[in-house]
Amino acid sequence: MADYDAIVIGAGISGLTAAAYLARGGARVLVCEQAGQVGGLFNSFWQDGYLFDGGIKAVENAGILIPMLAELGLLSQVRLHKSPVALITEKTVRPIRSLADVEAYFQFLAGHFPDQRDGLQKVLDDVLHIGDLLGALVGLVRSSFEELPGETAAPESRPKDRLAALGHLPATLMHVRAPLRRYLGKRLSNPALVNLLSHLFPDGTGALFGLAYFSMFLDYYYPEDGIQAVPTALAGAIEAAGGEILLNTRVARICLEHGRASGVALSDGTELRASHVVAAGDARQTFTELMPAAAVSPSFTRKLLAADPSHSVFAVFLGLDIPVEQLNLQGCGHLFYAPDLTGIGEADRDREDYFARVPQELSVPCLRQASLAPRGKTGLILSALTSWHYAHNWGLDGGKPSEGYRRLSEKLARQMVASLETFIPGLSHHVELCATATPYTLQRRTSNFQGAIMGWSYEREKAFQRTSLFRIARSVETPVPNLLMAGHWSFSPGGAPVAVLTGKLAAKRILRSTKGGRAIAPVDTRKDTR
Ligand SMILES: Cc1cc2nc3c(=O)[nH]c(=O)nc-3n(C[C@H](O)[C@H](O)[C@H](O)COP(=O)(O)OP(=O)(O)OC[C@H]3O[C@@H](n4cnc5c(N)ncnc54)[C@H](O)[C@@H]3O)c2cc1C
């Protein structure tokens, strides 16, 4: 008999979600996590009295996160608060707390680019229309969760019938099928304006996704005690329901019997048997390192290896010897800073001065909760989109950090701090702590290929998994029977909501084949379409 009904590889948000639903459903579940703490890219760490979030900076509900926490009875443990976003252009902070603020932002842009007013109005119309659609879609996704507390509203949309919004779906999708930059280029003739509306997103981002983000800004939450509170609560729920979690435990191999997943082998050689395995880590690793090549078809492997990972980030963690009030952030702990009104084009991403001009995502944990920084001081996280390949792979020497790598990280951190001085004059004189994280750091900690933060590339033709949202349930299937996948590599475009949803979907698949926590007939999860 198998030791477990399911073994989950990876305690990121997807693996934890899968395991929590499995344990709640009575399955015997084990989670193996290579790191010393749960969470993967959902993590926080303390340094010198400052709390920093090492991965995601605030969480989108998207009709998924809060319902998941509610279903698992965790809403009283993970106390989420709205986390308002602000856009900083040059020196002005513009909070985005409602769709009216989005409209005001477009008016500001129209004031600065008067000859682009008509084009901007068309883009704004699409933003609002997509906001309605998103509300309708989120309503559909929410219906896959059973218990919904009153406050789990979908992102704000205009007061109109959501079903009517769905009726516009075909026309809207026709409009916004193109990549965001191409879509904008057809409506706006000023390249700087195109940059300003697209440079926060990775290259190749679809127009639908990019325009939807203005509504998503209204849907961000921050947990009390930092992002780590979410995975910690999930881990508690797993253990309370009888599940097990092994930290510092790397899965070295997925065991196969007659071509079916039958358990895992750990890096110390221990073999554990299970009726199902859920791979909730990097997909390349799953299919090319953790199992023999013959387990999947050569065409599957070729396609997998040809696909590109998503973008990564360079992050700078600062401890400042000034109180947060001095930053004048208008109550917003999550901000996007554009140093100028020229913006960044795709061709700028490899430039030497890229980090001196790049738009930065800023996060200020202690603005949400004063105890997350020493009294009278401020922890500030800066991050910017980048790739593994920047500056000849970050000066890594044979894949390992070198003196050049360290010098480059320090130089780029200085560039980002200097750029931010337009908004916070004298910032560099207040830095008492500075740490950095590169794509290499993210890859080393989580095994996400090349430090990818969202799974597969956002460029449609470069991604591996891209199916219709309406078929997301099938994205957890793999070509190997009894092996399911969950997480941001299982559906594209990935991200936190996809990770949570696929975790739940994988658990549901397994529970469907179990009774009273005992596997009665493993499901055949083979996917015949790829
Ligand atoms: C800076 C930053 C900002 C972000 N912002 C957003 C945002 O605004 N919106 C959004 O939707 N998403 C955002 N994301 C992305 C989001 O955080 C991720 O998509 C999501 O957390 C992925 O969860 P996951 O469980 O799929 O994978 P991961 O978090 O990568 O978890 C995988 C886990 O598996 C473990 N593992 C891997 N291999 C093995 C093995 N062989 N044995 C044992 N354990 C293993 C890893 O250590 C890791 O803990 C952001 C990410 C970052 C880094």
Side-chain angles (χ1 to χ4, degrees):
M1 196 179 100
D3 301 317
Y4 298 95
D5 293 320
I7 293 179
V8 179
I9 306 172
I13 194 72
S14 62
L16 291 171
T17 302
Y21 276 103
L22 283 163
R24 187 184 81 142
R28 295 164 306 157
V29 60
L30 169 71
V31 184
C32 298
E33 168 55 51
Q34 64 188 359
Q37 70 182 46
V38 295
L41 294 173
F42 264 63
N43 74 81
S44 314
F45 64 94
W46 285 93
Q47 193 165 333
D48 298 349
Y50 295 94
L51 177 126
F52 296 111
D53 300 305
I56 192 168
K57 305 292 179 279
V59 288
E60 283 155 28
N61 175 29
I64 294 174
L65 182 82
I66 294 179
M68 177 273 281
L69 293 171
E71 275 187 349
L72 295 170
L74 296 176
L75 267 188
S76 56
Q77 282 176 54
V78 183
R79 284 186 292 277
L80 292 168
H81 298 282
K82 275 268 183 196
S83 177
V85 165
L87 300 173
I88 308 174
T89 28
E90 295 172 319
K91 294 180 184 169
T92 311
V93 180
R94 296 170 205 283
I96 305 289
R97 289 196 166 91
S98 65
L99 287 176
D101 289 334
V102 174
E103 295 187 49
Y105 179 67
F106 273 76
Q107 270 161 24
F108 151 74
L109 291 175
H112 197 83
F113 299 93
D115 60 328
Q116 305 290 303
R117 193 173 285 275
D118 291 349
L120 274 168
Q121 185 58 50
K122 286 186 188 137
V123 176
L124 176 61
D125 287 346
D126 281 344
V127 165
L128 296 175
H129 201 169
I130 287 168
D132 292 337
L133 264 176
L134 201 67
L137 282 174
V138 163
L140 282 184
V141 174
R142 273 158 46 96
S143 62
S144 69
F145 289 88
E146 298 143 18
E147 302 147 29
L148 295 173
E151 75 270 30
T152 63
E156 183 190 350
S157 55
R158 290 173 293 175
K160 61 191 275 194
D161 185 354
R162 293 233 169 94
L163 284 178
L166 272 186
H168 292 297
L169 188 60
T172 307
L173 288 184
M174 282 297 287
H175 243 47
V176 294
R177 276 180 67 84
L180 181 61
R181 278 186 187 270
R182 199 186 314 149
Y183 160 92
L184 291 170
K186 285 198 174 146
R187 286 152 185 83
L188 306 167
S189 58
N190 189 316
L193 187 52
V194 171
N195 285 346
L196 283 173
L197 287 169
S198 53
H199 64 180
L200 286 179
F201 306 104
D203 300 342
T205 295
L208 180 64
F209 188 89
L211 300 181
Y213 233 82
F214 283 98
S215 308
M216 301 297 276
F217 281 156
L218 308 177
D219 195 30
Y220 270 108
Y221 290 79
Y222 191 75
E224 275 182 29
D225 300 333
I227 294 292
Q228 187 73 42
V230 180
T232 299
L234 281 167
I238 293 164
E239 289 177 335
E244 295 170 50
I245 300 174
L246 295 177
L247 297 177
N248 301 306
T249 301
R250 181 173 166 72
V251 169
R253 188 160 52 82
I254 295 171
C255 303
L256 302 174
E257 266 178 32
H258 309 298
R260 294 170 171 263
S262 60
V264 301
L266 307 180
S267 51
D268 68 2
T270 309
E271 290 198 9
L272 299 164
R273 294 177 61 79
S275 308
H276 292 87
V277 175
V278 179
D282 180 89
R284 276 174 170 249
Q285 175 196 227
T286 299
F287 295 105
T288 64
E289 290 174 34
L290 300 188
M291 60 176 67
V296 291
S297 70
S299 65
F300 177 87
T301 309
R302 259 198 312 278
K303 200 175 145 202
L304 187 83
L305 294 178
D308 279 353
S310 76
H311 54 288
S312 188
V313 291
F314 175 62
V316 184
F317 305 93
L318 299 175
L320 306 178
D321 65 2
I322 44 174
V324 70
E325 297 75 30
Q326 213 165 306
L327 302 186
N328 200 12
L329 301 176
Q330 300 197 26
C332 298
H334 187 196
L335 310 97
F336 294 90
Y337 167 66
D340 57 43
L341 288 173
T342 315
I344 286 281
E346 284 184 358
D348 298 325
R349 300 230 187 254
D350 297 326
R351 286 170 56 139
E352 217 183 317
D353 65 350
Y354 169 68
F355 287 93
R357 304 180 41 223
V358 70
Q360 300 181 22
E361 181 178 9
L362 312 181
S363 178
V364 193
C366 71
L367 190 136
R368 285 95 157 213
Q369 189 180 336
S371 59
L372 301 184
R375 213 186 163 118
K377 299 186 177 186
T378 304
L380 173 64
I381 308 163
L382 327 178
S383 60
L385 293 185
T386 187
S387 87
W388 178 265
H389 302 293
Y390 183 75
H392 305 290
N393 302 348
W394 291 82
L396 291 168
D397 186 2
K400 293 271 175 326
S402 59
E403 196 41 44
Y405 166 86
R406 275 180 277 276
R407 274 202 306 272
L408 181 67
S409 300
E410 284 167 17
K411 181 178 107 180
L412 301 182
R414 277 196 303 275
Q415 285 184 358
M416 284 176 70
V417 169
S419 157
L420 199 52
E421 290 202 316
T422 307
F423 172 60
I424 309 172
L427 174 64
S428 55
H429 300 293
H430 295 290
V431 175
E432 62 171 27
L433 179 162
C434 178
T436 57
T438 66
Y440 170 80
T441 318
L442 292 176
Q443 177 175 273
R444 183 169 51 80
R445 296 215 176 125
T446 63
S447 294
N448 281 297
F449 183 58
Q450 296 187 343
I453 68 164
M454 297 280 191
W456 298 108
S457 169
Y458 273 29
E459 292 186 61
R460 181 174 275 272
E461 57 289 350
K462 292 186 180 168
F464 176 69
Q465 294 276 33
R466 186 179 277 266
T467 48
S468 153
L469 186 60
F470 296 101
R471 299 181 69 217
I472 192 168
R474 295 204 65 189
S475 64
V476 300
E477 299 170 358
T478 80
V480 179
N482 300 350
L483 173 68
L484 293 113
M485 59 196 289
H488 61 180
W489 297 96
S490 58
F491 184 85
S492 182
V498 157
V500 170
L501 189 56
T502 53
K504 174 173 177 170
L505 290 168
K508 220 167 141 185
R509 279 292 182 105
I510 295 171
L511 288 172
R512 224 189 280 154
S513 69
T514 64
K515 194 176 175 190
R518 306 293 291 273
I520 51 171
V523 272
D524 189 342
T525 53
R526 244 173 311 193
K527 190 165 190 174
D528 45 19
T529 53
R530 55 181 197 208

